[in-house]
């Protein structure tokens, strides 16, 4: 495997180890209790916390939010497939709209002229619909839980406790975002921080135990398959030709097919984006906004394919935490699998009419 892939495998393994250690030494439980006091609405918290951890733009980051989401979901009486899917829905807010997300960086790298801030704003419409549909569809059978409002002093105490227990996540994210330090290094520092936050007893032994051999083999297998597909240059060239020189309707259909198929096959967004973004940017448009609306359309279809991929790491790690099976996951996803493409087409039409 290429060095970047080896680095990604190591990142996923490290995040898994960090999650295990934070759970073992009670940090995740303390974080959960603090979050419950800060945001005493369990169903909202189930989506908000994965979104917060979604700042960690690294493979496998869903493993950090999965234990809390799983626990709250059990208390709400939600089936395991609902708990797994809610964790993944909540996590995928920032990757779609944030300029610093990996996928936005890919867009900028292959087409520097693209305004990725504007693209993120266009994507925001889809993200809102995605979260609302996820909330009402996946949590429709959740039972009510009584909560009590907090006074100001208690809220501040909970806020301080949350930030203290969230330090490992900060350390995993901020060094990379602020100084470009590799995730492998920053997550290693985050693991070490657990020692100072309460893991002084048998820390070395617990670090060894936290290494999950089965998870490592799973991730290596996923990346091995992704690299094989990524090397199919002939197939990529075929897709490029299909997406070029078509009528607008055929172009839109082809973009949807390419984004979905390649995303499903690889569990990645950057491969179909790398094919589609240059083609879209090279076409002729009446205005820059016209091009941006077409980019939005392509971006979301790539996201849909990637999101529902059977080898999407966030899905696999959430399934592992909840005990959900792929069959259960996809059956629970059927309503949103039907709705999200509709949202994409409708938003494209609305943007084309109102913005172009």
């Amino acid at each position: 495997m290429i060095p970047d892939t080896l680095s990604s495998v190591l990142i996923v393994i490290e995040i898994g180890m960090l999650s295990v250690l934070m759970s073992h030494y009670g940090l995740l439980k303390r974080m959960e209790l603090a979050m419950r006091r800060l945001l005493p609405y369990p169903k909202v918290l189930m989506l908000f916390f994965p979104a917060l951890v979604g700042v960690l733009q690294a493979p496998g980051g869903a493993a950090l939010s999965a234990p809390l989401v799983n626990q709250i979901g059990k208390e709400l009486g939600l089936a395991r497939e609902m708990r797994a899917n809610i964790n993944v829905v909540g996590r995928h807010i920032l990757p779609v709209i944030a300029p610093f997300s990996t996928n936005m960086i890919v867009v900028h790298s292959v087409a520097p002229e693209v305004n990725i801030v504007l693209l993120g704003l266009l994507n925001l419409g889809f993200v809102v619909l995605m979260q609302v549909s996820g909330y009402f569809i996946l949590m429709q059978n959740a039972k009510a839980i009584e909560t009590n409002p907090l006074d100001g002093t208690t809220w501040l105490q909970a806020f301080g406790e949350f930030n203290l227990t969230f330090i490992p996540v900060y350390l995993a994210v901020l060094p990379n975002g602020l100084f470009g330090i590799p995730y492998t290094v920053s997550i290693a520092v985050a693991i070490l921080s657990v020692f100072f936050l309460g893991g002084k007893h048998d820390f070395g032994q617990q670090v060894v135990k936290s290494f999950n051999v089965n998870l490592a083999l799973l991730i290596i297998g996923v990346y091995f398959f992704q690299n094989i597909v990524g090397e199919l240059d002939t197939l990529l060239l075929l897709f490029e030709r299909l997406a070029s020189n078509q009528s607008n309707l055929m172009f839109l259909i082809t973009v949807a097919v390419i984004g979905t198929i390649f995303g499903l096959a690889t569990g990645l967004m950057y491969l179909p984006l790398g094919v589609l973004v240059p083609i879209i940017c090279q076409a002729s448009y009446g205005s820059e906004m016209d091009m941006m609306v077409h980019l939005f359309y392509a971006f979301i279809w790539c996201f849909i394919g990637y999101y529902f991929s059977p080898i999407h790491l966030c899905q696999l790690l959430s399934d592992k935490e909840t005990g959900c099976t792929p069959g259960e996951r996809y059956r629970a996803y059927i309503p949103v699998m039907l709705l999200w493409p509709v949202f994409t087409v409708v938003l494209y039409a609305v943007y084309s009419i109102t913005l172009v």
Side-chain angles (χ1 to χ4, degrees):
M1 290 183 289
I2 59 176
D4 284 347
T5 300
L6 290 173
S7 175
S8 296
V9 171
L10 181 57
I11 288 169
V12 176
I13 292 171
E14 284 184 316
I15 291 176
M17 295 172 67
L18 178 61
S19 177
V20 170
L21 291 170
M22 289 180 69
S23 176
H24 177 78
Y25 290 109
L27 295 179
L28 287 180
K29 186 63 179 178
R30 289 167 56 189
M31 186 188 302
E32 174 190 339
L33 293 175
M35 284 293 293
R36 286 174 184 269
R37 286 183 287 167
L38 288 171
L39 190 64
Y41 307 100
K43 292 194 289 186
V44 175
L45 181 55
M46 283 188 73
L47 282 173
F48 176 77
F49 186 65
L52 184 65
V53 177
V55 174
L56 184 60
Q57 291 288 298
L64 282 176
S65 57
L68 187 149
V69 172
N70 189 40
Q71 179 58 39
I72 296 176
K74 287 180 180 178
E75 295 172 12
L76 291 170
L78 291 172
R80 57 188 180 182
E81 61 270 22
M82 299 301 184
R83 304 195 300 265
N85 293 353
I86 289 166
N87 184 51
V88 185
V89 169
R91 172 167 171 76
H92 287 85
I93 295 177
L94 288 176
V96 182
I97 62 175
F100 57 80
S101 72
T102 302
N103 297 310
M104 287 294 189
I105 292 172
V106 168
V107 171
H108 185 69
S109 66
V110 298
E113 70 274 19
V114 172
N115 184 338
I116 57 175
V117 174
L118 178 56
L119 179 59
L121 290 174
L122 293 174
N123 292 347
L124 180 60
F126 175 82
V127 167
V128 170
L129 293 174
M130 175 180 75
Q131 296 302 308
V132 170
S133 61
Y135 180 89
F136 285 104
I137 292 172
L138 299 176
M139 297 194 196
Q140 60 182 322
N141 294 322
K143 62 184 181 182
I145 297 179
E146 292 187 8
T147 57
N148 298 314
L150 296 180
D151 59 69
T153 301
T154 306
W155 191 92
L156 286 175
Q157 290 174 344
F159 183 73
E161 173 72 357
F162 170 77
N163 280 285
L164 179 65
T165 56
F166 207 66
I167 283 176
V169 180
Y170 288 138
L171 290 175
V173 175
L174 294 180
N176 177 270
L178 296 177
F179 308 109
I181 295 174
Y183 271 126
T184 51
V185 176
S186 60
I187 298 173
V189 173
I191 289 174
L192 182 61
S193 73
V194 176
F195 173 81
F196 296 100
L197 290 170
K200 297 182 177 64
H201 178 67
D202 291 338
F203 183 73
Q205 181 180 352
Q206 294 303 324
V207 168
V208 174
K209 286 184 177 180
S210 68
F211 178 79
N212 189 320
V213 176
N214 291 330
L215 175 61
L217 293 175
L218 170 67
I219 303 308
I220 290 171
V222 168
Y223 276 105
F224 180 74
F225 176 76
Q226 289 174 342
N227 281 324
I228 290 176
V229 176
E231 294 300 320
L232 298 179
D233 294 333
T234 303
L235 185 58
L236 287 171
L237 182 59
L238 174 61
F239 280 157
E240 287 186 24
R241 290 176 177 174
L242 284 173
S244 301
N245 302 318
Q246 301 282 356
S247 67
N248 190 54
L249 178 60
M250 286 305 299
F251 174 80
L252 294 177
I253 293 173
T254 304
V255 166
V257 170
I258 292 174
T260 303
I261 290 178
F262 238 77
L264 284 171
T266 64
L268 297 169
M269 279 185 67
Y270 69 77
L271 281 174
L273 282 174
V275 173
L276 293 172
V277 170
I279 295 172
I280 293 171
C281 291
Q282 291 168 12
S284 59
Y285 300 96
S287 65
E288 179 186 8
M289 184 58 75
D290 191 10
M291 179 187 74
M292 294 301 300
V293 170
H294 281 78
L295 282 172
F296 150 80
Y297 181 83
F299 191 101
I300 299 303
W301 276 111
C302 293
F303 170 77
I304 289 173
Y306 145 78
Y307 185 95
F308 292 114
S309 171
I311 57 173
H312 181 172
L313 286 177
C314 293
Q315 301 280 10
L316 295 176
L317 294 170
S318 295
D319 288 354
K320 188 174 185 300
E321 175 67 30
T322 60
C324 175
T325 67
E328 291 170 335
R329 179 212 309 164
Y330 282 115
R331 283 193 294 273
Y333 266 144
I334 288 174
V336 294
M337 290 176 74
L338 297 174
L339 280 175
W340 290 2
V342 173
F343 292 158
T344 306
V345 174
V346 169
L347 283 172
Y348 170 79
V350 171
Y351 289 162
S352 296
I353 294 170
T354 60
L355 299 177
V356 176

